[in-house]
Amino acid sequence: QGCKLVGCGSAVPTLKVSNDDLAKLVDTSDEWISVRTGIRNRRVLSGKESVTTLAVEAARNALQMAQVDPDDVDLVLMCSSTPDDLFGSAPQIQKALGCKRNPLAYDITAACSGFVLGLISAASHIRGAGFQNVLVIGADALSRYVDWTDRGTCILFGDAAGAVLVQYLLSSVPTEGCVPARETSMIKPGLHIQEFGGSDGSNTQMRIPNGHLYFVPISLTSACDSEEDGLFGFDLHSDGDGQRHLNAPIKENEMDNTLGSNGSVLDFPPNRSSYSCIQMNGKEVFRFAVRSVPQSIESALAKAGLPGSSIDWLLLHQANQRIIDAVATRLEVPPERVISNLANYGNTSAASIPLALDEAVRSGRVKVGHTIAAAGFGAGVTWGSAILRW
Ligand code: ACO
């Protein structure tokens, strides 16, 4: 089963914080920040804004572009490391969007790689489990975990949300070779595609386009996806060893306060826990990104069977303009084919790729049929790439 990106949207907080504003908080300057990072402004949550309100606005915009009703969404994937609720925000977003069929909704935590992982997960749910309309949202508010006295990190981050609607490719359903299904009892309301073993023991797929039920031989389905498929190559990695260079761990001293010398619980209820501010070894993160990302994109391209020259756009997680430039140079992608909006928003973690994509689509730079090499990288450490067709 093929899948396609059919809508995108984004949302940013109203409060704009410039480099000059930060120079009033810490010993820095607009020149130092813009030369070292490319960042000039960032947006920061204020008032009643939250990660959830931004995510809902971005998702609504994506649904509107796709002209898909919230009731037709059957999966919401919320990619965030800073949810408003420790247990995740996806079901709250599902509720706020008014998805009446109560679609499955859950969170994915993978820092700045979250959105790429969400896209691959969406495609897997569509290809393997019969989902039709999957909302992938990347939303983060790292401003909540920044030490605003640490000039090495507070200059980098901003808050935002972006979303993409990934849809199953209806046009990939073949008309020849399908046979009407006999097991009509297998039809489930709202589920249009299911996989089953064939009655003759062979592997077949059952599809229900427009309410009609068919068995489709797998050999036919794999032949009809490639032309319009919107996600056709990916590469994902993680390495826990890199966590020491970028993290925001739970505060150990607060946990320890609840334990006696022999390890027993002294007080009940135990102290509340909270997370440390972001700690980062910038140079190591820089090296990791410049080393890993080009390899990952090359690997995703190889899996897609495409040469590097076929990329219309390079769209990296927006962390630092020097990282973006170094990766583009390594891949021989000229600057005019590199998407960057880092100057306006800083590093918005899982939101950065869909936010930049949304701006590029709405401004007309990214057009239908364009091929995009997208790559995320960040804490964990995790990194990965996806070759997309808009
Ligand atoms: N303003 C002025 N001076 C500063 C500032 C600042 N904001 N920050 C650091 N400095 C100083 C340092 O104190 C140091 O001074 P010293 O030489 O007197 O000791 C000097 O500048 C050099 O500091 P470095 O940390 O070595 O600066 P570097 O050139 O490495 O740049 C930066 C720092 C911009 C953070 C860079 O390492 C970087 O961008 N790394 C990648 C970070 C990143 O992308 N993180 C996020 C990715 S993952 C994710 O998205 C969660």
Side-chain angles (χ1 to χ4, degrees), residues 103-374:
L104 174 63
Y106 66 91
D107 289 53
I108 294 176
T109 304
C112 308
S113 308
F115 183 75
V116 170
L117 279 154
L119 275 183
I120 308 303
S121 303
S124 305
H125 279 92
I126 288 171
R127 294 190 218 276
F131 287 87
Q132 280 198 309
N133 286 301
V134 183
L135 256 177
V136 185
I137 304 167
D140 265 312
L142 287 181
S143 68
R144 289 170 168 170
Y145 299 95
V146 156
D147 176 354
W148 290 100
T149 65
D150 174 11
R151 66 178 181 173
T153 52
C154 75
I155 56 157
L156 297 174
F157 300 104
D159 307 336
V164 159
L165 187 74
V166 187
Q167 195 170 61
Y168 84 118
L169 204 52
L170 185 62
S171 62
S172 74
V173 176
T175 48
E176 287 180 26
C178 307
V179 292
R182 283 164 281 278
E183 300 292 332
T184 49
S185 61
M186 288 176 174
I187 300 176
K188 291 182 188 166
L191 256 191
H192 291 237
I193 307 168
Q194 288 276 316
E195 282 192 275
F196 293 95
S199 52
D200 60 353
S202 66
N203 236 1
T204 62
Q205 278 193 343
M206 183 183 81
R207 299 177 186 238
I208 316 171
N210 305 324
H212 300 291
L213 181 61
Y214 299 92
F215 280 130
V216 183
I218 281 282
S219 56
L220 269 173
T221 65
S222 55
C224 60
D225 287 340
S226 57
E227 275 298 298
E228 289 180 72
D229 205 349
L231 206 164
F232 42 93
F234 67 89
D235 176 74
L236 300 172
H237 300 273
S238 54
D239 176 8
D241 192 44
Q243 187 260 1
R244 64 204 153 102
H245 300 311
L246 181 57
N247 50 61
I250 202 155
K251 284 184 182 164
E252 285 175 19
N253 56 348
E254 293 189 22
M255 296 292 283
D256 289 347
N257 284 346
T258 66
L259 298 177
S261 54
N262 61 359
S264 63
V265 176
L266 292 181
D267 304 311
F268 193 84
N271 285 353
R272 293 184 60 181
S273 298
S274 59
Y275 291 94
S276 311
C277 290
I278 296 168
Q279 300 160 12
M280 184 182 73
N281 180 332
K283 282 203 190 312
E284 286 297 337
V285 174
F286 195 101
R287 276 192 209 109
F288 145 69
V290 170
R291 187 182 59 242
S292 311
V293 175
Q295 284 172 3
S296 175
I297 292 175
E298 278 166 355
S299 165
L301 281 166
K303 286 175 193 166
L306 292 176
S309 57
S310 64
I311 300 174
D312 292 303
W313 297 104
L314 181 64
L315 173 49
L316 304 186
H317 165 51
Q318 308 281 296
N320 181 313
Q321 191 59 45
R322 289 192 295 149
I323 293 177
I324 295 174
D325 294 343
V327 173
T329 303
R330 194 79 59 92
L331 294 171
E332 297 180 3
V333 178
E336 62 273 16
R337 289 201 275 128
V338 177
I339 296 173
S340 171
N341 64 358
L342 188 73
N344 298 328
Y345 305 110
N347 177 345
T348 57
S349 191
S352 83
I353 292 176
L355 172 62
L357 176 67
D358 185 46
E359 288 196 346
V361 168
R362 286 175 195 270
S363 68
R365 290 179 82 202
V366 170
K367 297 187 184 349
V368 173
H370 278 181
T371 301
I372 304 164

Side-chain angles (χ1 to χ4, degrees), residues 14-26:
T14 49
L15 179 64
K16 191 192 267 191
V17 178
S18 69
N19 290 347
D20 286 336
D21 291 332
L22 289 180
K24 292 173 194 153
L25 282 183
V26 289

